[in-house]
Amino acid sequence: MQSTGTRNPATTPTHCPYCALQCGMNLTPVEGGTVEVSERADFPVNRGALCGKGRTAAAVLAPGARLTSPLVRSGDGALVQAGWDEALDRIAGNLERTRARYGADALGVFGGGGLTNEKAYALGKFARVVLGTSQIDYNGRFCMSSAAAAGTRAFGLDRGLPFPLEDVPRTGCVILVGSNPAETMPPSLRYFTELRENGGTLIVVDPRRTRTAEQADLHLAPRPGTDLALALGMLHLVVAEGRVDEAYVEERTSGWEEARAAAMAHWPEHVERITGVSVPELREAVRLFCAPEAAMVLTARGPEQQAKGTDTVGAWINLCLATGRAGRPLSGYGCLTGQGNGQGGREHGQKADQLPGYRKLTDPAARRHVAGVWGVDPDSLPGPGRSAYELLDALGTDVRSLLVMGSNPVVSAPRAAHVEERLRSLDFLAVCDVVLSETAELADVVLPVTQWAEETGTTTSLEGRVLLRRRAITPPDGVRGDLEVLHGLAGRLGVEKGFPTDPEEVFGELRRASAGGPADYSGIDYRRLAEENGVFWPCPAPTGGDDTRNPTAPHPGTPRLFLDRFATDDGRARFVPVAHRPSAEEPDDEYPVLLTTGRVVSQYQSGAQTRRVAELNAAAPGPFVELHPRLAARLGAAEGDPLAVVSRRGRAVAPARITTGIRPDTVFMPFHWPGEGRANTLTNPALDPTSRMPEFKVCAVRVETVTS
């Protein structure tokens, strides 16, 4: 919990830098020049609770853990300290030379779901206005893009949760699909505990018996990659057992006949053979879900990180629609967003196909509006570029120079050894980060940037609640903010105006750019965020007609979406007919086992920050291979023995962790570590055709013992 530098004299209320709960916390200066993280009970989401990552978040502020000087690649290949002017000049010069030789689309930008809204907005604007490139995407594509695509397809709008978390304990049943909040966002587990204490039921769908699954009334353990068939089998039973809410379907939806026909091709016995979930378990899940008046389905990376993730999420949405469980109080479909600003990060322009306000880059009206705010010709804005993995795959060939801000794809990307090779093949790589990540180690220039306690800015939580993070301390000498970086680069590349360094000024422009868009922030300002503990979007600015008694009254924000109508042209939710199909890579004689990946409680994402915290490393020191005793017996492996997991893309080695809490046909590896235990060396980059999400959650492998 250490930091250095000048501090504000009072305790600062702010938010955690990690997951999308964005838990409230207080930062207080203490004797010796350190900062203490403490509970902040007034924030309604976590109500004071913090996980180990949140409690130790200030440890990464310490000089020994983070970068404090720009680094440039010297003639002998080493990274050496340099001044800011030299570093920025080198980046700008290389970007300009690449553009002059190969064209603007030879420049790539790769952002992150941890960037504040202001930084994500400015990065997207920088790519399109200063660089003129279409080649920008971000690691949030690997988070909830399939859920976003399915939600937009069904409801006309994507917001992770269309209701606040406080509704979860008050519903009658929750189906939690491919999520382990006990480890990924521990303070949220209380909502599911309270659900059961209130008489509700919890169904967990996961091939592993996780800490979350142990809390469930019913745990369904399907074979990885078969969540789509499971949802279709449940919908089949809803129809067969007469549980469809016919009046709701008639009044509030379209497309039911086609979706029903698709579901009826997935009868229970067929689904049992595909998923391994028994027919009695399927029937019990349907009974529990349909019995109460209200119910929810919440998905996470399990069903989403598949090459059929959009259709899989769509099947769970169809189940909600058929039973009248969407757009009604205490009911609905929602996605548990992963990264800290995974929601806001994709709303404001760092995604390949979007402009601020969640506008489509291909929409002429959207282009005119945003170009007007930016003061440029709409025709000058490039069109959509490559998705995240496709952008990384094009490095060194079509894309020759890359700017990375807040991401570590060497560890987090699928087929990671190939991605590392592509990064090494670039003509030029610049990385802005807090720490010297594995990706930064490959860079030609590394810029040390501020982190959450050293900067002010907004994030948008998994609820769609826009929040204000407050600066609590002054960053060390030699460290600058990302907005300062973009300002400095823009000026060197000939754009003197339009890239302010004050986050509140940037947010003011973001508000104007988002006005009238699906994610409308125009009625939100920093004062409101501070006074109201956040504001739910959409929140348009007053138009004079919102309240005839007070035409200038501020919009209250929208905690609950779709209660009156859905965001489609006709106000109806859309059923989408989907059918089960195999994973992109099924087991065979050479690769007979399924691999699935995920997180552990004491590490976060690529581990670039958490692996620098001693307390967290003591709890989770390295990778492992989780496998069933039957598989271990076939291999002759004992607890702790080194195992090699081999896929068509590479080989990873880690100690065995033997448990009955996983299917015998499946192994699990966490993905937080680089080196020989890097799980993403193995994962399959097969892409969902709609969301362009890679298939992280299932691939075929073989497991071998390792002899010294």
Side-chain angles (χ1 to χ4, degrees), residues 158 166 182 226 243 256 491 535 547 588 591 706:
D158 154 49
E166 68 184 47
T226 64
R243 299 180 185 271
W256 168 233
V535 178
D547 186 339
D588 56 22
Y591 301 97
V706 177

Side-chain angles (χ1 to χ4, degrees), residues 344-422:
R346 71 180 179 282
E347 294 169 1
H348 298 300
Q350 66 171 331
K351 192 163 174 276
D353 56 353
Q354 286 178 347
L355 288 170
Y358 225 149
R359 288 182 159 91
K360 294 180 179 179
L361 190 53
T362 54
D363 179 359
R367 294 169 67 88
R368 285 194 300 272
H369 174 84
V370 174
V373 174
W374 289 350
V376 299
D377 184 343
D379 292 338
S380 71
L381 298 179
R386 293 175 173 89
S387 71
Y389 179 77
E390 291 167 304
L391 173 57
L392 295 171
D393 190 41
L395 300 180
T397 53
D398 294 334
V399 177
R400 308 300 294 255
S401 293
L402 182 69
L403 172 64
V404 177
M405 188 171 282
S407 188
N408 187 19
V410 166
V411 178
S412 63
R415 198 184 173 197
H418 172 73
V419 169
E420 181 177 347
E421 177 187 309
R422 300 322 308 150

Side-chain angles (χ1 to χ4, degrees), residues 91 93-109 131 133 135 386 390-404 421-430 442-444:
I91 295 173
N94 276 280
L95 295 178
E96 188 58 69
R97 282 190 291 275
T98 297
R99 181 167 59 182
R101 182 173 182 182
Y102 299 105
D105 274 358
L107 303 176
V109 177
L131 301 182
T133 183
Q135 300 303 302
R386 293 175 173 89
E390 291 167 304
L391 173 57
L392 295 171
D393 190 41
L395 300 180
T397 53
D398 294 334
V399 177
R400 308 300 294 255
S401 293
L402 182 69
L403 172 64
V404 177
E421 177 187 309
R422 300 322 308 150
L423 285 161
R424 291 182 184 276
S425 73
L426 283 163
D427 294 349
F428 181 77
L429 172 63
L442 305 181
D444 298 287

